[in-house]
Amino acid sequence: MERRKIIIDTDPGQDDAAAIMLAFASPAELDVLGLCAVAGNVPLSYTSRNLRIVCELCGRQDAAIYEGARKPTLRPQVTAEHVHGRTGLDGAELPEPMMSVRSTHAVDFIIETLRSEPVGTVTLCTLGPLTNVALALQKAPDIAPRARELVMMGGGFFEGGNITPAAEFNIYVDPEAAKAVFASGIPIVMMPLDVTHKLLTTKARVGKIAALGTRPAQVLVDWLAFFERFDIEKYGSDGGPLHDPTVIAYLLKPELFSGRDCNVEIETRSELTAGMTVVDWWRVSGRKPNAKVMRDVDADGFFALLTERVGRL
Ligand code: RIB
Ligand code: CA
C-alpha cells in the first residue's frame, strides 16, 4: 500500500494511546503529519500532556503536536475521568513530558495542511470529539473537498450508546460538531460501538501484548488494565471494548472490517437522545448515504495486528 499522510485528532485516553502507538509503529504505511489534542476524555491541558507522553513513550519526541479546542463548539464540556482516571492516562506512572507543542492552533494546522498538501492525499483520523475538525470546516469550508477521507471512532446504532443509552461519548460531547462533519461531504468511515464492542481486551489478548516484554508494551498493558475496569464492571465481560485503535487498524488492514454505505444523522435537539447517531442501516429513510459505517470486525486479526506492531516500538 502507498504511504498515507494522516492527521490524528485525539483526546488521550488510554485507548487513544493504543491507536497512536499503532500509528507510530507503522511508519512504512503511515506518515503522521501531526497530532492534534482536543478536549474530551479530560480537559485540553491533560489531553495535550498525555499526547506528549505517548509520543515520548514511542520515541517520537520529534512529533508535531498542536493544541485545539478547550471546549465543545456549543455545549458545556463533558469529560470521562470516571473511565480514564483524573489525568486521562491513569494506570502507568510515567514522567511529565519534556517535548513541547507547536505554536499553531490545531484548527489552523488542519486548515493549512489540507490547503498545502495535494488534493485527496491527507486522511483525518479522529479519536475524540469532532470539535477541531468542525471548527476547521467552519473557518475554511474550502478544505472539505481537499481531504482524502475522515476515519473516525464514534457513534453507535444497534449497540446503542455508552455515555447515555442513546449516545456514544465522542459524539455526545459535541453533537453540533459531529452534525457539521457528517454534512461536510468529506468521505467518512465510521467505527461505532457496534464494532468496538466486539474488540474486548480479554486476558488472553492482553497476555500476548504483555509477552512482548518491551517497555511500551508493558505501559500499554498497564493503561489497558486501568481503562478496562469501568467497562468490565459495567458489562461483566472478560476485558473491555478497545475503541480508538480501530481507526488506525482500518488504514493498515481495511479487510479486517466490514460494513456498508449508510446515511447517518446526528440528534442535536432532543435532550433525551442528544448525540445519537441515527444510522439508516436498512436504508428506509431515503436519505443519501454519507458514511461507510462499519459493523463487523475480525477481532483476532485486529489484536494480532495491534500486538505485532506494538512489538516493533
Ligand atoms: O466512546 C469511546 C470513545 O470516547 C473513545 O474515543 C474514548 O477514548 C473516548 O474518547
Ligand atoms: Ca478517544
Side-chain angles (χ1 to χ4, degrees):
M1 67 182 270
E2 92 283 8
R3 194 163 185 243
R4 285 182 74 153
K5 293 174 186 172
I6 67 172
I7 293 174
I8 296 176
D9 194 84
T10 176
D11 64 335
Q14 292 88 350
D15 61 320
D16 301 67
I20 295 162
M21 293 171 80
L22 180 57
F24 281 144
S26 309
E29 297 98 331
L30 302 175
D31 179 5
V32 183
L33 301 179
L35 302 100
C36 302
V38 66
N41 286 318
V42 285
L44 180 70
S45 57
Y46 272 120
T47 58
S48 170
R49 164 196 180 264
N50 297 343
L51 181 48
R52 285 174 281 148
I53 285 174
V54 179
C55 287
E56 290 182 351
L57 176 68
C58 298
R60 292 301 309 271
Q61 291 80 349
D62 63 308
I65 293 177
Y66 303 86
E67 292 184 341
R70 295 187 174 280
K71 63 175 289 298
T73 53
L74 191 67
R75 297 168 188 253
Q77 176 69 51
V78 172
T79 52
E81 286 88 348
H82 60 290
V83 177
H84 298 271
R86 180 182 61 82
T87 71
L89 211 49
D90 286 22
E93 287 307 317
L94 292 166
E96 289 305 303
M98 299 295 286
M99 67 187 290
S100 57
V101 301
R102 304 296 168 91
S103 56
T104 305
H105 190 282
V107 169
D108 294 322
F109 167 71
I110 292 169
I111 294 169
E112 290 163 15
T113 304
L114 286 173
R115 282 178 172 165
S116 59
E117 294 290 340
V119 173
T121 61
V122 176
T123 298
L124 300 173
C125 302
T126 64
L127 313 178
L130 292 163
T131 312
N132 285 341
V133 176
L135 290 172
L137 287 165
Q138 187 180 45
K139 186 171 182 181
D142 61 286
I143 63 172
R146 300 187 63 88
R148 174 170 174 170
E149 67 184 344
L150 183 147
V151 187
M152 47 89 65
M153 189 278 139
F157 49 112
F158 299 141
E159 196 66 20
N162 53 11
I163 189 80
T164 77
E168 177 278 326
F169 179 82
N170 287 339
I171 309 298
Y172 179 74
V173 167
D174 198 339
E176 286 73 21
K179 187 179 183 71
V181 169
F182 276 85
S184 68
I186 297 177
I188 291 172
V189 176
M190 178 178 166
M191 289 289 170
L193 297 178
D194 300 74
V195 167
T196 67
H197 281 195
K198 295 172 180 141
L199 295 171
L200 299 182
T201 57
T202 63
K203 291 182 184 60
R205 288 166 175 163
V206 175
K208 288 178 181 167
I209 298 173
L212 293 169
T214 63
R215 180 166 179 268
Q218 188 52 54
V219 170
L220 178 56
V221 165
D222 293 344
W223 277 336
L224 293 180
F226 184 93
F227 168 69
E228 69 183 17
R229 84 214 181 288
F230 178 82
D231 285 331
I232 289 171
E233 173 71 25
K234 177 177 175 183
Y235 300 116
S237 48
D238 175 8
L242 189 53
H243 307 287
D244 292 336
T246 56
V247 169
I248 304 303
Y250 175 78
L251 298 180
L252 297 173
K253 292 191 79 172
E255 64 273 20
L256 289 173
F257 302 91
S258 63
R260 64 170 63 159
D261 291 334
C262 300
N263 176 267
V264 180
E265 300 295 335
I266 313 297
E267 177 58 67
T268 57
R269 287 177 294 184
S270 158
E271 191 177 324
L272 182 63
T273 57
M276 181 177 186
T277 49
V278 180
V279 176
D280 186 5
W281 183 262
W282 301 117
R283 298 175 182 143
V284 296
S285 71
R287 293 190 292 262
K288 183 168 169 288
N290 57 348
K292 186 185 295 292
V293 178
M294 295 299 160
R295 186 182 180 191
D296 288 306
V297 59
D298 168 0
D300 289 336
F302 168 85
F303 279 99
L305 173 68
L306 177 65
T307 304
E308 188 275 324
R309 294 294 167 103
V310 167
R312 299 184 185 185
L313 291 174

